[in-house]
Short mmCIF file of all heavy atoms in Angstrom, two decimals:
data_model
loop_
_atom_site.label_atom_id
_atom_site.label_comp_id
_atom_site.label_asym_id
_atom_site.label_seq_id
_atom_site.Cartn_x
_atom_site.Cartn_y
_atom_site.Cartn_z
N ARG A 110 127.30 145.05 225.16
CA ARG A 110 126.64 144.99 226.25
C ARG A 110 125.87 143.65 226.41
O ARG A 110 125.73 142.95 227.45
CB ARG A 110 125.67 146.11 226.53
CG ARG A 110 124.85 146.09 227.81
CD ARG A 110 125.77 146.38 229.11
NE ARG A 110 124.93 146.53 230.30
CZ ARG A 110 124.46 147.62 230.69
NH1 ARG A 110 124.78 148.74 230.17
NH2 ARG A 110 123.79 147.70 231.89
N GLY A 111 125.13 143.28 225.30
CA GLY A 111 124.46 142.01 225.29
C GLY A 111 125.30 140.79 225.44
O GLY A 111 125.01 139.82 226.05
N ILE A 112 126.56 140.87 224.78
CA ILE A 112 127.43 139.86 224.99
C ILE A 112 127.94 139.66 226.29
O ILE A 112 128.03 138.55 226.90
CB ILE A 112 128.70 140.14 224.03
CG1 ILE A 112 128.25 140.08 222.52
CG2 ILE A 112 129.75 139.04 224.22
CD1 ILE A 112 129.16 140.58 221.53
N LEU A 113 128.28 140.86 226.93
CA LEU A 113 128.73 140.74 228.39
C LEU A 113 127.68 140.22 229.32
O LEU A 113 127.94 139.38 230.26
CB LEU A 113 129.21 142.33 228.81
CG LEU A 113 130.35 142.79 228.06
CD1 LEU A 113 130.65 144.19 228.47
CD2 LEU A 113 131.67 141.94 228.49
N GLU A 114 126.31 140.62 229.12
CA GLU A 114 125.33 140.08 229.86
C GLU A 114 125.18 138.67 229.92
O GLU A 114 124.79 137.94 230.79
CB GLU A 114 124.12 140.95 229.67
CG GLU A 114 124.13 142.42 229.95
CD GLU A 114 122.87 143.24 229.63
OE1 GLU A 114 122.09 142.64 228.83
OE2 GLU A 114 122.68 144.30 230.11
N TRP A 115 125.32 138.21 228.57
CA TRP A 115 125.12 136.72 228.35
C TRP A 115 126.07 135.90 229.25
O TRP A 115 125.75 134.87 229.71
CB TRP A 115 125.33 136.43 226.84
CG TRP A 115 125.40 134.99 226.66
CD1 TRP A 115 126.53 134.19 226.42
CD2 TRP A 115 124.39 133.97 226.79
NE1 TRP A 115 126.27 132.81 226.45
CE2 TRP A 115 124.97 132.65 226.67
CE3 TRP A 115 122.97 133.96 227.10
CZ2 TRP A 115 124.23 131.48 226.55
CZ3 TRP A 115 122.30 132.88 227.11
CH2 TRP A 115 122.86 131.55 226.84
N HIS A 116 127.31 136.37 229.32
CA HIS A 116 128.27 135.66 230.03
C HIS A 116 128.28 136.10 231.51
O HIS A 116 129.25 135.44 232.40
CB HIS A 116 129.79 136.02 229.60
CG HIS A 116 130.15 135.44 228.20
ND1 HIS A 116 130.58 134.10 228.09
CD2 HIS A 116 129.89 135.92 226.86
CE1 HIS A 116 130.76 133.86 226.82
NE2 HIS A 116 130.30 134.96 226.14
N GLN A 117 127.33 136.76 232.08
CA GLN A 117 127.40 137.11 233.36
C GLN A 117 126.33 136.56 234.28
O GLN A 117 126.09 136.88 235.41
CB GLN A 117 127.12 138.61 233.54
CG GLN A 117 127.40 139.36 234.74
CD GLN A 117 128.76 139.04 235.44
OE1 GLN A 117 129.63 138.58 234.71
NE2 GLN A 117 128.84 139.50 236.57
N PRO A 118 125.50 135.45 233.78
CA PRO A 118 124.55 134.90 234.77
C PRO A 118 125.08 134.28 236.04
O PRO A 118 126.14 133.45 235.77
CB PRO A 118 123.78 133.96 233.92
CG PRO A 118 124.69 133.64 232.87
CD PRO A 118 125.51 134.84 232.53
N GLY A 119 124.71 134.63 237.10
CA GLY A 119 125.43 134.03 238.34
C GLY A 119 126.82 134.53 238.55
O GLY A 119 127.64 133.75 239.13
N HIS A 120 127.10 135.68 237.98
CA HIS A 120 128.41 136.38 237.99
C HIS A 120 129.52 135.34 237.42
O HIS A 120 130.53 135.24 238.07
CB HIS A 120 128.70 136.72 239.55
CG HIS A 120 127.74 137.70 240.07
ND1 HIS A 120 127.77 139.05 239.66
CD2 HIS A 120 126.72 137.62 240.86
CE1 HIS A 120 126.91 139.74 240.36
NE2 HIS A 120 126.16 138.83 241.06
N ALA A 121 129.14 134.78 236.36
CA ALA A 121 130.20 133.85 235.67
C ALA A 121 131.42 134.51 235.28
O ALA A 121 132.45 134.07 235.38
CB ALA A 121 129.46 133.06 234.69
N LEU A 122 131.12 135.64 234.56
CA LEU A 122 132.31 136.42 234.03
C LEU A 122 133.13 137.14 234.98
O LEU A 122 132.56 137.88 235.81
CB LEU A 122 131.65 137.38 233.21
CG LEU A 122 132.71 138.22 232.34
CD1 LEU A 122 133.55 137.38 231.23
CD2 LEU A 122 132.10 139.42 231.43
N ARG A 123 134.40 136.80 235.26
CA ARG A 123 135.26 137.36 236.07
C ARG A 123 136.32 138.31 235.58
O ARG A 123 136.88 139.17 236.25
CB ARG A 123 135.95 136.25 236.94
CG ARG A 123 134.83 135.28 237.68
CD ARG A 123 133.83 136.03 238.48
NE ARG A 123 134.40 136.91 239.59
CZ ARG A 123 133.83 137.90 240.19
NH1 ARG A 123 132.70 138.25 239.67
NH2 ARG A 123 134.42 138.57 241.09
N TYR A 124 136.67 138.12 234.30
CA TYR A 124 137.77 138.83 233.63
C TYR A 124 137.39 139.22 232.28
O TYR A 124 136.65 138.46 231.61
CB TYR A 124 139.07 137.82 233.57
CG TYR A 124 139.68 137.40 234.91
CD1 TYR A 124 139.15 136.36 235.50
CD2 TYR A 124 140.59 138.16 235.58
CE1 TYR A 124 139.68 135.96 236.75
CE2 TYR A 124 141.12 137.76 236.81
CZ TYR A 124 140.63 136.73 237.30
OH TYR A 124 141.10 136.31 238.62
N CYS A 125 137.83 140.32 231.82
CA CYS A 125 137.44 140.76 230.48
C CYS A 125 138.63 141.68 229.95
O CYS A 125 139.13 142.59 230.68
CB CYS A 125 136.14 141.60 230.52
SG CYS A 125 135.69 142.14 228.77
N TRP A 126 138.98 141.44 228.84
CA TRP A 126 140.01 142.22 228.04
C TRP A 126 139.29 143.00 226.85
O TRP A 126 138.74 142.26 225.98
CB TRP A 126 141.02 141.29 227.48
CG TRP A 126 142.06 140.86 228.49
CD1 TRP A 126 143.38 141.47 228.82
CD2 TRP A 126 142.11 139.82 229.52
NE1 TRP A 126 143.96 140.83 229.82
CE2 TRP A 126 143.20 139.76 230.23
CE3 TRP A 126 140.99 138.72 229.63
CZ2 TRP A 126 143.47 138.79 231.16
CZ3 TRP A 126 141.24 137.91 230.65
CH2 TRP A 126 142.39 137.90 231.44
N LEU A 127 139.19 144.06 226.86
CA LEU A 127 138.72 145.00 225.68
C LEU A 127 139.72 145.54 224.83
O LEU A 127 140.67 146.11 225.24
CB LEU A 127 137.91 146.23 226.36
CG LEU A 127 136.86 145.90 227.41
CD1 LEU A 127 136.24 147.21 227.93
CD2 LEU A 127 135.62 145.21 226.70
N ILE A 128 139.54 145.14 223.54
CA ILE A 128 140.48 145.60 222.40
C ILE A 128 139.90 146.82 221.95
O ILE A 128 138.69 146.92 221.42
CB ILE A 128 140.51 144.44 221.34
CG1 ILE A 128 140.80 143.11 221.89
CG2 ILE A 128 141.53 145.02 220.36
CD1 ILE A 128 142.28 143.15 222.62
N VAL A 129 140.64 148.02 222.15
CA VAL A 129 140.13 149.32 221.84
C VAL A 129 141.04 150.06 220.81
O VAL A 129 142.19 150.06 221.08
CB VAL A 129 140.02 150.18 223.13
CG1 VAL A 129 139.46 151.56 222.90
CG2 VAL A 129 139.13 149.47 224.23
N SER A 130 140.41 150.49 219.80
CA SER A 130 141.14 151.11 218.79
C SER A 130 141.14 152.72 219.11
O SER A 130 140.39 153.27 219.83
CB SER A 130 140.55 150.94 217.42
OG SER A 130 139.31 151.71 217.36
N SER A 131 142.14 153.39 218.44
CA SER A 131 142.26 154.92 218.69
C SER A 131 140.94 155.61 218.17
O SER A 131 140.59 156.54 218.80
CB SER A 131 143.38 155.45 217.95
OG SER A 131 143.31 155.11 216.55
N GLN A 132 140.32 155.03 217.20
CA GLN A 132 139.05 155.60 216.66
C GLN A 132 137.96 155.57 217.84
O GLN A 132 137.18 156.57 217.92
CB GLN A 132 138.60 154.94 215.47
CG GLN A 132 139.45 155.18 214.26
CD GLN A 132 140.53 153.91 214.13
OE1 GLN A 132 141.03 153.40 215.22
NE2 GLN A 132 140.76 153.54 212.79
N VAL A 133 137.94 154.39 218.44
CA VAL A 133 136.86 154.30 219.56
C VAL A 133 137.30 155.22 220.79
O VAL A 133 136.42 155.80 221.31
CB VAL A 133 136.94 152.78 220.05
CG1 VAL A 133 136.07 152.58 221.36
CG2 VAL A 133 136.29 151.85 219.02
N ARG A 134 138.59 155.29 221.11
CA ARG A 134 138.91 156.28 222.10
C ARG A 134 138.52 157.75 221.74
O ARG A 134 138.16 158.42 222.68
CB ARG A 134 140.50 156.17 222.25
CG ARG A 134 141.01 154.96 222.88
CD ARG A 134 140.80 155.02 224.42
NE ARG A 134 141.49 153.84 225.03
CZ ARG A 134 141.38 153.49 226.28
NH1 ARG A 134 140.63 154.30 227.10
NH2 ARG A 134 142.03 152.54 226.81
N ARG A 135 138.52 157.87 220.46
CA ARG A 135 138.22 159.35 220.10
C ARG A 135 136.67 159.61 219.82
O ARG A 135 136.10 160.55 220.39
CB ARG A 135 138.96 159.66 218.73
CG ARG A 135 138.76 161.05 218.23
CD ARG A 135 139.51 161.29 216.97
NE ARG A 135 139.01 160.51 215.82
CZ ARG A 135 139.64 159.52 215.20
NH1 ARG A 135 140.84 159.20 215.74
NH2 ARG A 135 139.06 158.72 214.36
N ASP A 136 136.02 158.64 219.16
CA ASP A 136 134.60 158.89 218.70
C ASP A 136 133.57 158.19 219.58
O ASP A 136 132.40 158.41 219.50
CB ASP A 136 134.54 158.53 217.28
CG ASP A 136 135.54 159.18 216.36
OD1 ASP A 136 135.79 160.48 216.70
OD2 ASP A 136 135.90 158.72 215.28
N ALA A 137 134.05 157.16 220.41
CA ALA A 137 133.05 156.40 221.19
C ALA A 137 133.51 156.31 222.67
O ALA A 137 133.11 155.27 223.26
CB ALA A 137 132.80 155.05 220.49
N ARG A 138 134.03 157.41 223.10
CA ARG A 138 134.44 157.41 224.38
C ARG A 138 133.33 157.11 225.47
O ARG A 138 133.50 156.44 226.43
CB ARG A 138 135.13 158.74 224.75
CG ARG A 138 135.72 158.91 226.25
CD ARG A 138 136.54 160.14 226.53
NE ARG A 138 137.55 160.17 225.61
CZ ARG A 138 138.84 159.83 225.87
NH1 ARG A 138 139.02 159.04 227.19
NH2 ARG A 138 139.92 159.76 225.10
N PRO A 139 132.13 157.75 225.44
CA PRO A 139 130.95 157.55 226.32
C PRO A 139 130.70 155.98 226.39
O PRO A 139 130.40 155.45 227.33
CB PRO A 139 129.91 158.36 225.81
CG PRO A 139 130.54 159.47 225.12
CD PRO A 139 131.68 158.89 224.35
N LYS A 140 130.61 155.42 225.22
CA LYS A 140 130.34 154.03 225.17
C LYS A 140 131.25 153.21 225.85
O LYS A 140 131.05 152.22 226.68
CB LYS A 140 130.15 153.57 223.65
CG LYS A 140 129.94 152.01 223.44
CD LYS A 140 130.01 151.67 222.02
CE LYS A 140 129.99 150.11 221.94
NZ LYS A 140 129.97 149.73 220.41
N LEU A 141 132.53 153.32 225.63
CA LEU A 141 133.68 152.68 226.26
C LEU A 141 133.67 152.86 227.74
O LEU A 141 133.87 151.89 228.57
CB LEU A 141 134.97 153.18 225.70
CG LEU A 141 136.36 152.61 226.30
CD1 LEU A 141 136.27 150.91 226.11
CD2 LEU A 141 137.50 153.21 225.72
N SER A 142 133.40 154.05 228.26
CA SER A 142 133.36 154.33 229.59
C SER A 142 132.11 153.55 230.33
O SER A 142 132.26 153.14 231.41
CB SER A 142 133.18 155.87 229.91
OG SER A 142 134.24 156.56 229.44
N ASP A 143 131.03 153.61 229.52
CA ASP A 143 129.85 152.86 230.19
C ASP A 143 130.18 151.40 230.39
O ASP A 143 129.75 150.67 231.32
CB ASP A 143 128.60 153.03 229.26
CG ASP A 143 128.11 154.48 229.34
OD1 ASP A 143 128.47 155.21 230.29
OD2 ASP A 143 127.41 154.95 228.38
N LEU A 144 130.82 150.66 229.21
CA LEU A 144 131.07 149.39 229.32
C LEU A 144 132.03 149.19 230.42
O LEU A 144 131.92 148.03 231.25
CB LEU A 144 131.76 148.97 227.94
CG LEU A 144 130.81 148.88 226.74
CD1 LEU A 144 131.74 148.49 225.55
CD2 LEU A 144 129.75 147.80 227.04
N ILE A 145 133.20 149.91 230.72
CA ILE A 145 134.05 149.73 231.78
C ILE A 145 133.38 149.81 233.05
O ILE A 145 133.60 149.07 234.05
CB ILE A 145 135.20 150.71 231.63
CG1 ILE A 145 136.11 150.27 230.37
CG2 ILE A 145 136.03 150.66 232.79
CD1 ILE A 145 137.12 151.33 230.05
N GLN A 146 132.52 150.92 233.23
CA GLN A 146 131.84 151.00 234.37
C GLN A 146 130.85 149.81 234.78
O GLN A 146 130.76 149.41 236.06
CB GLN A 146 130.99 152.42 234.44
CG GLN A 146 130.28 152.75 235.61
CD GLN A 146 131.17 153.01 236.83
OE1 GLN A 146 132.29 153.52 236.60
NE2 GLN A 146 130.77 152.67 238.09
N TRP A 147 130.22 149.33 233.84
CA TRP A 147 129.27 148.15 234.01
C TRP A 147 129.98 146.94 234.47
O TRP A 147 129.66 146.21 235.33
CB TRP A 147 128.62 147.67 232.63
CG TRP A 147 127.57 146.71 232.76
CD1 TRP A 147 126.23 146.95 233.09
CD2 TRP A 147 127.74 145.37 232.65
NE1 TRP A 147 125.59 145.65 233.22
CE2 TRP A 147 126.56 144.72 232.89
CE3 TRP A 147 128.88 144.59 232.42
CZ2 TRP A 147 126.38 143.23 232.87
CZ3 TRP A 147 128.83 143.16 232.26
CH2 TRP A 147 127.50 142.57 232.56
N LEU A 148 131.27 146.71 233.88
CA LEU A 148 132.03 145.52 234.23
C LEU A 148 132.57 145.75 235.68
O LEU A 148 132.50 144.78 236.47
CB LEU A 148 133.29 145.49 233.30
CG LEU A 148 133.08 144.91 231.86
CD1 LEU A 148 134.16 145.23 230.97
CD2 LEU A 148 132.61 143.46 232.03
N ILE A 149 133.01 146.95 236.06
CA ILE A 149 133.60 147.15 237.49
C ILE A 149 132.40 146.90 238.45
O ILE A 149 132.50 146.41 239.44
CB ILE A 149 134.09 148.66 237.49
CG1 ILE A 149 135.26 148.78 236.74
CG2 ILE A 149 134.37 148.88 239.00
CD1 ILE A 149 135.86 150.14 236.63
N GLU A 150 131.13 147.53 238.11
CA GLU A 150 130.01 147.33 239.03
C GLU A 150 129.51 145.80 239.17
O GLU A 150 129.02 145.50 240.22
CB GLU A 150 128.82 148.14 238.50
CG GLU A 150 129.06 149.65 238.64
CD GLU A 150 127.84 150.43 237.99
OE1 GLU A 150 126.96 149.73 237.34
OE2 GLU A 150 127.86 151.67 238.03
N ASN A 151 130.06 145.02 238.28
CA ASN A 151 129.62 143.58 238.35
C ASN A 151 130.81 142.81 238.85
O ASN A 151 130.85 141.53 238.51
CB ASN A 151 129.19 143.11 236.90
CG ASN A 151 127.72 143.54 236.69
OD1 ASN A 151 126.67 142.81 237.10
ND2 ASN A 151 127.53 144.71 236.10
N ASN A 152 131.82 143.43 239.31
CA ASN A 152 132.92 142.73 240.02
C ASN A 152 133.67 142.02 238.93
O ASN A 152 134.26 140.93 239.14
CB ASN A 152 132.56 141.83 241.14
CG ASN A 152 131.96 142.66 242.17
OD1 ASN A 152 132.42 143.70 242.60
ND2 ASN A 152 130.81 142.10 242.67
N VAL A 153 133.83 142.58 237.69
CA VAL A 153 134.69 141.78 236.63
C VAL A 153 136.02 142.61 236.51
O VAL A 153 136.08 143.90 236.51
CB VAL A 153 133.84 142.02 235.23
CG1 VAL A 153 134.86 141.34 234.30
CG2 VAL A 153 132.56 141.30 235.33
N ASP A 154 137.05 141.95 236.60
CA ASP A 154 138.37 142.38 236.45
C ASP A 154 138.76 142.75 235.02
O ASP A 154 138.86 142.00 234.14
CB ASP A 154 139.54 141.41 236.95
CG ASP A 154 140.86 142.02 236.90
OD1 ASP A 154 141.08 143.18 236.66
OD2 ASP A 154 141.72 141.28 237.28
N VAL A 155 138.59 144.07 234.66
CA VAL A 155 138.68 144.65 233.18
C VAL A 155 140.06 145.19 232.97
O VAL A 155 140.66 145.88 233.70
CB VAL A 155 137.48 145.66 233.01
CG1 VAL A 155 137.65 146.80 233.88
CG2 VAL A 155 137.58 146.13 231.65
N HIS A 156 140.37 144.82 231.75
CA HIS A 156 141.67 145.34 231.22
C HIS A 156 141.40 145.85 229.69
O HIS A 156 140.52 145.37 229.06
CB HIS A 156 142.70 144.17 230.99
CG HIS A 156 142.97 143.56 232.38
ND1 HIS A 156 143.93 143.78 233.19
CD2 HIS A 156 142.29 142.43 232.82
CE1 HIS A 156 143.96 142.99 234.17
NE2 HIS A 156 142.88 142.14 234.09
N THR A 157 142.08 146.97 229.33
CA THR A 157 141.99 147.46 228.03
C THR A 157 143.27 147.36 227.30
O THR A 157 144.34 147.63 227.91
CB THR A 157 141.47 148.87 228.01
OG1 THR A 157 142.43 149.74 228.80
CG2 THR A 157 140.18 149.01 228.61
N ILE A 158 143.26 146.88 226.06
CA ILE A 158 144.60 146.89 225.25
C ILE A 158 144.28 147.73 224.05
O ILE A 158 143.26 147.35 223.28
CB ILE A 158 144.73 145.42 224.91
CG1 ILE A 158 144.94 144.54 226.05
CG2 ILE A 158 145.97 145.47 223.95
CD1 ILE A 158 145.22 143.04 225.80
N ASP A 159 145.10 148.83 223.91
CA ASP A 159 144.83 149.81 222.78
C ASP A 159 145.53 149.30 221.41
O ASP A 159 146.77 148.79 221.59
CB ASP A 159 145.42 151.05 223.22
CG ASP A 159 144.52 151.73 224.25
OD1 ASP A 159 143.40 152.24 223.90
OD2 ASP A 159 144.68 151.45 225.58
N ILE A 160 144.78 149.61 220.37
CA ILE A 160 145.56 149.49 219.11
C ILE A 160 145.39 150.77 218.32
O ILE A 160 144.54 151.58 218.58
CB ILE A 160 144.98 148.35 218.22
CG1 ILE A 160 143.53 148.47 218.01
CG2 ILE A 160 145.19 147.01 218.86
CD1 ILE A 160 142.82 147.58 217.04
N ALA A 161 146.36 151.12 217.47
CA ALA A 161 146.39 152.34 216.90
C ALA A 161 145.45 152.39 215.64
O ALA A 161 144.84 153.40 215.47
CB ALA A 161 147.83 152.76 216.42
N ASP A 162 145.31 151.31 215.09
CA ASP A 162 144.45 151.34 213.78
C ASP A 162 143.45 150.09 213.74
O ASP A 162 143.92 149.08 213.88
CB ASP A 162 145.34 151.27 212.44
CG ASP A 162 144.74 151.43 211.26
OD1 ASP A 162 143.37 151.59 211.25
OD2 ASP A 162 145.40 151.40 210.18
N ALA A 163 142.25 150.44 213.63
CA ALA A 163 141.22 149.44 213.64
C ALA A 163 141.13 148.51 212.31
O ALA A 163 140.60 147.56 212.16
CB ALA A 163 139.86 150.05 213.78
N THR A 164 142.06 148.87 211.34
CA THR A 164 142.11 148.21 210.11
C THR A 164 143.45 147.64 209.99
O THR A 164 143.83 147.10 209.02
CB THR A 164 141.95 149.19 208.89
OG1 THR A 164 142.95 150.24 208.93
CG2 THR A 164 140.63 149.87 208.83
N SER A 165 144.20 147.51 210.97
CA SER A 165 145.51 146.83 211.13
C SER A 165 145.37 145.28 211.56
O SER A 165 145.02 145.11 212.75
CB SER A 165 146.47 147.38 211.98
OG SER A 165 147.69 146.85 212.26
#
Side-chain angles (χ1 to χ4, degrees):
R110 181 67 173 270
I112 294 169
L113 293 172
E114 290 178 348
W115 166 258
H116 286 274
Q117 191 57 8
H120 300 283
L122 185 66
R123 307 302 303 157
Y124 298 85
C125 183
W126 283 264
L127 300 177
I128 308 297
V129 183
S130 67
S131 59
Q132 294 94 323
V133 170
R134 288 282 188 188
R135 182 182 64 247
D136 302 328
R138 182 178 295 274
K140 171 185 176 179
L141 177 61
S142 299
D143 290 343
L144 289 174
I145 294 175
Q146 184 62 33
W147 185 90
L148 288 166
I149 294 175
E150 291 176 354
N151 283 272
N152 298 317
V153 177
D154 187 358
V155 57
H156 308 265
T157 58
I158 301 179
D159 289 273
I160 60 174
D162 188 358
T164 62
S165 174

